[in-house]
Structure formats: structure tokens, C-alpha cells
Amino acid sequence: MKLLTEYLTKVKADDALKNSTDAYIRRALGDKADQNADITYISDFKRKDSRMKKLITAMAATAACALLAIGGYTYYNTPVQYVSLDINPSIELGVNAFERVVSAEACNDDGQLLLKENDFKHLRLEDAVDAVVQEAAEQGYILEDGSTVIAATAVSNNEKAAETLKSICEAGINQGLSNGNASGIVYTDCVDLQLRTQAQEAGMSAGKYRLIEVLQTLSDDATVEQYRNSRITDIITSVNTMMQNGAGAGNGNNTGALEQIQQAANQVQAAYANMTQDQNQNQNQNTDNGSQQQGAQQGTQQGADNAEQEQNQNVETSGTEQEQEQNQNQVQPSYNPTETGSGNQNGTSTGQSGANAPATGSGSSSGSGGQSSGGQGQ
């Protein structure tokens, strides 16, 4: 604008024309500057808007990833079905959609001891069941006679999924028994989530609650409190005893469960029978070994007695011989014709010499041992 004023002063023209020209030029330039300013502002806004859009897009992507991560973590750690493992220790394993164990809870005091130093989370279900059985065997809950029942109960509203869980658990139990050098009886069953809720309200596992429920259908006197702390083996044998006594006839709702219980109970009885047979064999073997050992001891004692008797006989014989020898030495005196002694002895003797010739003689002796003299007979 300063250059424009200097230029117009050099122009030879009317002042009014110069002034009007200057004003026009200034207005024109002023509008253009304003337009340029608007264009610059709009351009800056567009650039800022573009950067904002990119930032918003990045933030949205990050939020989506975070939501997916959080959602995936929650989905992974959410149990969709459960498995009840009962020996006497009772525990419940929560299983996610990928058949991974994501929770482990004790259902009684023995179950707490079992889980005290063990974490079975994030293991495959089969591996977790394997580990539980090994730990139970190590802690002495599985008897060496093979009569212990290990129950695995699948808890799911999906029948197909429940059957899959049963198969996995059965394989895990057998593997655990093998790895733990133990033997036992496998029992499996399925229940729905509603029964699990009832079991939780009663303060026990779904598997044990289910067996007590079956037991109550056979006996009106059976109560939850009566069997709350019982081993699964004892509950199963109780059910079988009631069935043998005629209870439960026509109980069609539990036919499948009763058949499985009966099979398990028969295996328990077979284990008891084998144990009794083994005990009798061991007892007989111990008796035979004891008799043989006693006979050997008697033989040894008899040999010792014979040796002692023989030694005593040898000693007695030797003593007798020595005693006889001493007596002989004492009885035989030495003869001394000049020996004198105290005492007098008088006597006569008559003898014959030659061809029956008569002879007479006399003699006297005096002194101890005697001194004797005599005449020779004629």
C-alpha cells in the first residue's frame, strides 16, 4: 500500500481522481486479502480435521483391540460346564469352552487338603483329572486293595457336551491310577446345572448330591446329613444293599444310574473278596513258615541237647576213670617187712608140706605192722 501511494503522487492527474483510484484499489486489495485469509483458515482446518480423523481412527482401533482382549480373556476364564470329582475329597473343576480347567473349588474339608498345594488351572481337563487322582492316591485317599470308587460327574445342560466330559474324565482317572501306581473303580454320571445349584445350597458337590438323591429314592430314612461325609464307595455299597433287599423296584427314573451303581458295587465286592483271599493266603503262608521255623528251631535245640548230653557223658566217663585210678592208687599199699606198728597179734597156723606131711609151727608178732617170727615145720 505504501508503494501505491508513492506511485500515485508521480501521476499527473486530478487529485479527486487519484483519491478515488486509491480508494478503489484499496478496497479491491482488502477483499482479496480477506479471501486469502479465509482460504488459509479453511486449509488449516482441513489439515487439522484430517489429523483428528486419523487420531480418532487409531483410538477406535486401540479400543476395539482392548475390548477384544478383555472380552477374550473373560470368555476364556468363564466356566461353561463343570466336573465333580468325588472320592471322599470332593472338588469341582470349572471347564471353559476350550475344555480347559479355569477354576477349582473344594466341596469339603478333604477337598481343601487336596487343593492346598495344588493348582490345576489352565490344564487340559484330562490332565487335570489325572493330577487330581495322583494327588489323592499320594495322600492315602485311594486304598491299596482296589476297592475305592472314584466318581466323575459331568455338569452341563448340553447332553452331548456332558457325554464328552464323561469320556475325558474316565480317561483321566485311568491315567491317574496308572501313573500313581494305584487301582480303583471308575464311576461316571451326568447332571444338569439346576442340580448343581441344589448341591451348592446343600453344601456339597453335585456328584455326591446326585448319589444321595438316588439313595433317598430307595429309602425314606436316608438324609443328606447322614451321608454328607461318607465316602463315595460307602454310598454306592449302601445303594446296592438296598437294591438287593428289594428296594427301588419300579424306580424307572433312575434305572440307568442304578445299573451303573450296581456294577460299581459288584466291583467293590470283588475287590473285597480278593483282599480276603490274599489275606488268607498270607496267613497260611505265615503259618507254614512259622511251623518250618519252629521245626528248624526244635531240630537245632535237639542237636544242641544231644551234643550237651554227649559232652556230659564224656565228662562223666572221664571222671569215673580218674576216680577209679585214684582209688586203685589209694588201695595198694607198699610192702615193708621191717615196718613196725602198734598192736599185738598172736596166732598159730598149721600147714602141710611135702607129700601131705604134718607140720606145726608157732609164731608171734608185735608192733604196728607186726614183726613176725616162726619155726619151720617139720
Side-chain angles (χ1 to χ4, degrees):
M1 291 297 182
K2 184 178 180 180
L3 293 174
L4 176 62
T5 302
E6 293 177 354
Y7 177 77
L8 288 175
T9 56
K10 296 178 181 180
V11 175
K12 293 180 179 182
D14 186 63
D15 291 336
L17 180 60
K18 289 181 180 180
N19 290 335
S20 62
T21 301
D22 181 64
Y24 173 80
I25 294 172
R26 287 181 182 278
R27 285 196 302 270
L29 291 176
D31 294 340
K32 189 68 175 179
D34 292 339
Q35 289 178 3
N36 290 336
D38 292 340
I39 292 172
T40 302
Y41 174 78
I42 293 172
S43 178
D44 291 341
F45 177 77
K46 288 182 176 180
R47 285 196 297 269
K48 292 180 180 179
D49 184 58
S50 177
R51 289 196 298 269
M52 184 62 69
K53 287 182 178 179
K54 290 180 179 179
L55 180 60
I56 292 173
T57 302
M59 291 176 63
T62 302
C65 291
L67 290 174
L68 287 174
I70 295 172
Y73 178 81
T74 303
Y75 182 69
Y76 176 88
N77 285 280
T78 301
V80 295
Q81 48 206 1
Y82 301 88
V83 168
S84 170
L85 289 176
D86 300 279
I87 306 172
N88 182 37
S90 292
I91 67 172
E92 182 185 76
L93 302 177
V95 184
N96 66 10
F98 307 102
E99 295 177 355
R100 292 270 179 173
V101 174
V102 293
S103 66
E105 297 182 0
C107 301
N108 58 9
D109 293 339
D110 289 334
Q112 291 179 354
L113 293 176
L114 193 67
L115 296 178
K116 185 176 181 180
E117 297 180 357
N118 298 278
D119 186 6
F120 305 107
K121 293 181 181 179
H122 309 301
L123 295 176
R124 293 189 312 120
L125 177 60
E126 182 175 344
D127 295 336
V129 173
D130 177 354
V132 169
V133 173
Q134 288 191 63
E135 183 65 24
E138 184 176 345
Q139 293 190 18
Y141 292 111
I142 299 178
L143 303 181
E144 296 181 355
D145 60 11
S147 64
T148 304
V149 177
I150 304 167
T153 305
V155 183
S156 176
N157 288 335
N158 187 317
E159 183 176 352
K160 184 177 180 180
E163 290 296 330
T164 301
L165 291 181
K166 279 176 54 177
S167 300
I168 294 174
C169 289
E170 184 173 359
I173 292 173
N174 289 325
Q175 188 65 30
L177 291 172
S178 177
N179 292 335
N181 295 322
S183 58
I185 300 163
V186 182
Y187 175 85
T188 59
D189 198 1
C190 296
V191 298
D192 56 25
L193 292 173
Q194 182 179 359
L195 188 137
R196 174 179 178 267
T197 302
Q198 297 173 358
Q200 286 180 322
E201 293 174 353
M204 63 179 58
S205 68
K208 179 176 282 190
Y209 187 84
R210 166 61 175 164
L211 284 174
I212 295 176
E213 185 181 63
V214 174
L215 184 63
Q216 289 177 322
T217 63
L218 304 178
S219 172
D220 295 333
D221 297 331
T223 63
V224 172
E225 291 300 324
Q226 181 180 357
Y227 292 94
R228 175 183 298 277
N229 297 320
S230 298
R231 296 187 310 149
I232 293 297
T233 304
D234 298 331
I235 298 175
I236 284 179
T237 54
S238 296
V239 172
N240 188 57
T241 300
M242 292 180 183
M243 292 173 60
Q244 291 176 345
N245 293 334
N251 192 347
N253 295 332
N254 296 314
T255 301
L258 291 173
E259 290 178 355
Q260 293 185 51
I261 290 173
Q262 189 172 23
Q263 292 176 1
N266 291 337
Q267 290 179 286
V268 172
Q269 291 177 353
Y272 286 154
N274 292 334
M275 178 185 65
T276 303
Q277 184 178 359
D278 292 340
Q279 289 178 345
N280 292 335
Q281 290 178 351
N282 292 334
Q283 185 176 2
N284 293 335
Q285 184 175 1
N286 292 335
T287 301
D288 294 339
N289 293 337
S291 299
Q292 293 177 358
Q293 184 177 3
Q294 184 177 2
Q297 291 176 351
Q298 290 177 351
T300 302
Q301 185 64 36
Q302 184 175 0
D305 293 341
N306 293 338
E308 183 178 359
Q309 183 178 2
E310 182 178 357
Q311 183 178 3
N312 292 336
Q313 289 177 353
N314 293 335
V315 171
E316 291 177 358
T317 301
S318 176
T320 302
E321 291 176 352
Q322 291 178 359
E323 184 178 358
Q324 290 176 354
E325 183 177 357
Q326 290 177 357
N327 291 336
Q328 289 177 358
N329 293 335
Q330 292 177 358
V331 170
Q332 295 179 356
S334 60
Y335 177 73
N336 187 353
T338 61
E339 185 178 355
T340 60
S342 64
N344 295 323
Q345 182 179 0
N346 296 320
T348 61
S349 63
T350 304
Q352 293 181 347
S353 64
N356 296 327
T360 61
S362 62
S364 63
S365 64
S366 63
S368 176
Q371 183 178 4
S372 64
S373 63
Q376 184 176 3
Q378 296 178 352

